[in-house]
Amino acid sequence: TREAYHEFEFKLSTFQIDNFIHAAEHPVLLHSPLVTEPFLHLSLVRRLQDNNDTHDISYIALRILEIDICFDRKTAETIAQFISPLHKAQEDQTNESWVQELTSKMSLNYSKSNRRAPRDIEKFIHSANACRIHVEHLHLHPIRLSLTFTQEWSRRNQETEGFVFFQIIRGMASISEAPLTFTSFVVSHAFESPTSLMGIISAHYS
C-alpha cells in the first residue's frame, strides 16, 4: 500500500498436473516448460476512494507462460468413465413430467398482462448498471498452448459411446506440440459491471 493506492501482486512460480493413470503414454498432463520466470503473474493497482459505488482500478495485468498439454486416448477414455455417471444422472432427471410441469408454470406466470420482465433479465439489467468498475488500463497477455495427443488402439468402451467429443478423438491422428495461441486483450478506460466485463473477456477468448 502506498499513498492513495492499494497494490496487489500475485506470482505462481511453477505449475504442473501429473497423470497417475496406469501405463499412460504421458506422465504429465499439464506443465510449463519455462522455469526462469513465474508461471503466473498478476498485478493490480486500485485507487483508494470514499465512494464504493464505483471501483476505480488504475492497472490490471495478467501474464501466463506457455503451457504444454499432453494426453493420450487412454487418458481421455478414463476421464470419460469418471464423468459418465454424472452425465447419466442428469439425463435421468429429464423426463416428460418435469417438462410438462415447467411448461405449465411458465404459461401461468407469463400469461398475465401486467407481468414484469423475467427475473433473470431484471437481474442482468441491475448488474449492468450497479457497482460498475472503471479500469484505466487492462492488459491480459497472450496465452500460448502446446498440444500433444498420442493416438493408440483400445477396445470400444460403452461408457464413452454417448460423448461426441470422444468419438472425434477416436478418429484423430497423433499430434506433437501443435501450437495454439489466444491473442492478448488490451483495453483502456473500461467502465462496466464485473459481469459485463467478464462476458466481454470470455467472448474474446471463445
Side-chain angles (χ1 to χ4, degrees):
T1 302
R2 58 188 174 91
E3 185 177 358
Y5 289 93
H6 267 155
E7 296 180 352
F8 173 82
E9 187 173 26
F10 175 79
K11 293 182 180 181
L12 182 63
S13 298
T14 59
F15 174 79
Q16 178 171 310
I17 298 179
D18 295 332
N19 186 354
F20 290 97
I21 296 174
H22 179 67
E25 289 288 334
H26 305 282
V28 178
L29 281 176
L30 288 87
H31 81 285
S32 176
L34 304 176
V35 295
T36 56
E37 300 180 27
F39 164 74
L40 186 148
H41 189 180
L42 172 65
S43 300
L44 187 148
V45 179
R46 177 176 178 266
R47 184 178 288 109
L48 299 179
Q49 58 193 104
D50 296 330
N51 185 4
N52 293 326
D53 291 339
T54 301
H55 299 288
D56 195 352
I57 300 176
S58 300
Y59 179 76
I60 300 178
L62 175 65
R63 185 189 64 176
I64 300 176
L65 296 184
E66 182 179 346
I67 304 174
D68 285 353
I69 304 175
C70 304
F71 68 106
D72 50 40
R73 178 171 172 175
K74 182 177 181 180
T75 300
E77 295 280 354
T78 303
I79 295 174
Q81 292 178 25
F82 178 77
I83 64 177
S84 178
L86 300 177
H87 181 72
K88 288 184 177 180
Q90 186 177 10
E91 289 182 343
D92 294 340
Q93 291 178 358
T94 305
N95 50 57
E96 293 184 1
S97 61
W98 178 82
V99 174
Q100 292 175 357
E101 183 179 355
L102 178 61
T103 303
S104 300
K105 289 183 178 179
M106 292 180 64
S107 300
L108 179 62
N109 290 335
Y110 294 104
S111 61
K112 300 177 182 179
S113 58
N114 61 345
R115 176 68 183 174
R116 298 175 59 186
R119 185 170 301 177
D120 55 345
I121 297 179
E122 290 181 350
K123 183 178 180 180
F124 174 79
I125 295 174
H126 176 74
S127 63
N129 292 281
C131 298
R132 291 193 176 192
I133 58 175
H134 171 248
V135 182
E136 190 171 345
H137 297 290
L138 172 62
H139 189 175
L140 304 181
H141 291 258
I143 300 176
R144 295 180 175 87
L145 306 177
S146 177
L147 179 62
T148 297
F149 170 73
T150 303
Q151 183 64 269
E152 56 184 353
W153 180 90
S154 63
R155 294 186 178 88
R156 286 189 172 271
N157 193 328
Q158 295 297 327
E159 298 290 343
T160 62
E161 289 298 325
F163 292 88
V164 177
F165 174 74
F166 293 105
Q167 292 176 2
I168 296 174
I169 283 183
R170 293 191 186 103
M172 287 179 56
S174 295
I175 301 173
S176 178
E177 299 180 355
L180 179 62
T181 302
F182 296 92
T183 58
S184 60
F185 181 84
V186 181
V187 66
S188 297
H189 297 288
F191 187 59
E192 298 286 346
S193 68
T195 303
S196 299
L197 184 58
M198 289 302 299
I200 294 172
I201 295 175
S202 297
H204 172 76
Y205 288 111
S206 62

